[in-house]
Amino acid sequence: MDVVFYQLPVSLNQSTMEQIRSTIMGIGEEVPAIDPACQSIGHIFFQVDGDNVETAEIFFQQGCTFYLWLEDEQPAYANQMTEAGVNFYNNIMQQV
């Protein structure tokens, strides 16, 4: 799993199952209400054997905490972040 942030001077790479499962726990089941004013802060890639199997835009700002999943580079569906997901990105923002 890789994360590329658009405005931050960091990127993330997780390669162990424990790390990846922890990130997946941050993906909620609820479908968010998407405000068109929300801006993506980055892109997340889930890879298997070097192939991207899932990709999403990451939305993380007040009132916008969700993943917008892409199929053929087009928005397909969205999932609200769980509290664990919000804490994950808050931790990254505090460290940067």
Side-chain angles (χ1 to χ4, degrees):
M1 185 210 77
D2 293 305
V3 176
V4 176
F5 293 100
Y6 299 136
Q7 302 296 323
L8 297 177
V10 297
S11 61
L12 298 174
N13 174 273
Q14 295 180 331
S15 56
T16 69
M17 287 302 274
E18 183 179 333
Q19 291 171 324
I20 295 167
R21 281 188 182 124
S22 176
T23 299
I24 290 172
M25 294 298 295
I27 302 169
E29 294 181 19
E30 293 181 32
V31 176
I34 299 176
D35 181 343
C38 295
Q39 298 288 317
S40 174
I41 65 161
H43 198 84
I44 189 168
F45 306 83
F46 289 90
Q47 299 175 337
V48 176
D49 297 327
D51 293 325
N52 290 334
V53 294
E54 292 290 339
T55 63
E57 291 295 318
I58 304 165
F59 290 81
F60 187 76
Q61 63 195 68
Q62 187 69 32
C64 305
T65 52
F66 61 91
Y67 294 96
L68 181 60
W69 300 94
L70 306 174
E71 290 182 357
D72 297 322
E73 299 300 319
Q74 298 297 314
Y77 49 94
N79 292 87
Q80 190 72 36
M81 282 184 197
T82 64
E83 185 176 340
V86 170
N87 291 339
F88 175 76
Y89 289 104
N90 274 331
N91 186 42
I92 293 168
M93 299 301 171
Q94 290 174 358
Q95 292 182 28
V96 174

